[in-house]
Amino acid sequence: MAGPPAAPIPPLSAAARRRSLEETLAAAPDRDALRLFAYGSLMWNPCFEVADRAVADVDGYHRSFSIWSVHARGTPEKPGLGLGLEARSGAQCRGIAFRLPPGTGEAALMELWEREMWIDCYRPVWIEAETGEGPVAAFTFAIDPAHPMHTGSLPLADQARYIAAARGKFGACADYLYETWDAMRREGVEDEEMRALVDAVRLQEARG
């Protein structure tokens, strides 16, 4: 089974990261009403100021553990997996639409870009998120399926095996999964694939 790339992926340059942020903000429908759709760790650990939040659905995407993690939640020898938002026909992903304070600009979002766009395995994209008060435009971080850190479609058993065994500089990969799952439950966000993965990782940990 293929694993992460043998050679380390270099980080984006500061100039490239800033350019990505500038281009994303330039495409905003309304700079004074910025929203971010969060589907993973940003639901429980945002690194930006939040004015409001709402449960939201996004069509055509699904949440998946399909990014190799060889530093944050794993190592090159024992890689973990990170969450991404992946395009899939007929899918729907439920997460949180955060509304940012009016006037939020590049300086306030640079920490977010350094966290999510350290390498370019994500593509910042604008999507339509359906909230209880109607549709809103939001940006989010979708997987680049051509990136070498993209795992492709891993069977559930393989995902569980990688997640249960991996630990990186930010802790155990399983804790990352559990904290995300706990945040989803607090927000009333259901996801049967995530529920199945949580159960599979717990079983893998119990087996040792």
Side-chain angles (χ1 to χ4, degrees), residues 28-49:
D30 184 349
R31 283 289 296 267
D32 287 326
L34 292 177
R35 287 180 171 85
L36 165 66
F37 178 73
Y39 55 86
S41 63
L42 288 175
M43 289 193 295
W44 51 270
N45 186 24
C47 54
F48 47 85
E49 189 175 350

Side-chain angles (χ1 to χ4, degrees), residues 153-179:
S153 182
L154 290 176
L156 177 66
D158 290 339
Q159 292 180 50
R161 181 169 57 82
Y162 280 118
I163 291 171
R167 175 179 290 273
K169 66 178 181 178
F170 295 140
C173 193
D175 289 343
Y176 166 68
L177 166 65
Y178 298 149
E179 289 184 271

Side-chain angles (χ1 to χ4, degrees), residues 40 43-44 178-189:
M43 289 193 295
W44 51 270
Y178 298 149
E179 289 184 271
T180 302
W181 177 241
D182 288 343
M184 291 168 64
R185 290 193 297 172
R186 287 195 301 270
E187 299 286 354
V189 174

Side-chain angles (χ1 to χ4, degrees), residues 1-197:
M1 176 172 32
I9 302 295
L12 282 176
S13 68
R17 196 173 296 115
R18 180 171 295 279
R19 185 164 57 251
S20 167
L21 172 54
E22 291 171 349
E23 291 171 351
T24 302
L25 293 181
D30 184 349
R31 283 289 296 267
D32 287 326
L34 292 177
R35 287 180 171 85
L36 165 66
F37 178 73
Y39 55 86
S41 63
L42 288 175
M43 289 193 295
W44 51 270
N45 186 24
C47 54
F48 47 85
E49 189 175 350
V50 175
D52 197 8
R53 58 197 291 147
V55 174
D57 295 316
V58 172
D59 290 332
Y61 288 92
H62 76 113
R63 175 191 293 106
S64 73
F65 273 88
S66 53
I67 298 173
W68 294 114
S69 179
V70 296
H71 297 294
R73 297 285 180 169
T75 65
E77 296 75 26
K78 286 191 174 182
L81 299 176
L83 270 171
L85 193 67
E86 193 156 4
R88 185 169 74 183
S89 178
Q92 185 180 77
C93 181
R94 175 163 287 186
I96 303 299
F98 289 109
R99 182 168 60 83
L100 281 59
T104 298
E106 294 172 20
L109 292 174
M110 185 51 68
E111 182 181 350
L112 172 64
W113 247 253
E114 289 176 349
R115 171 173 157 179
E116 301 298 319
M117 295 293 292
W118 185 249
I119 58 175
D120 58 349
C121 61
Y122 293 118
R123 294 177 293 106
V125 295
W126 285 92
I127 46 86
E128 183 178 277
E130 186 68 39
T131 72
E133 298 182 355
V136 297
F139 69 89
T140 192
F141 297 95
I143 293 174
D144 177 359
H147 196 276
M149 294 300 281
H150 181 226
T151 67
S153 182
L154 290 176
L156 177 66
D158 290 339
Q159 292 180 50
R161 181 169 57 82
Y162 280 118
I163 291 171
R167 175 179 290 273
K169 66 178 181 178
F170 295 140
C173 193
D175 289 343
Y176 166 68
L177 166 65
Y178 298 149
E179 289 184 271
T180 302
W181 177 241
D182 288 343
M184 291 168 64
R185 290 193 297 172
R186 287 195 301 270
E187 299 286 354
V189 174
E190 288 294 334
D191 185 319
E192 289 305 316
E193 291 183 8
M194 282 284 286
R195 182 187 296 275
L197 182 57

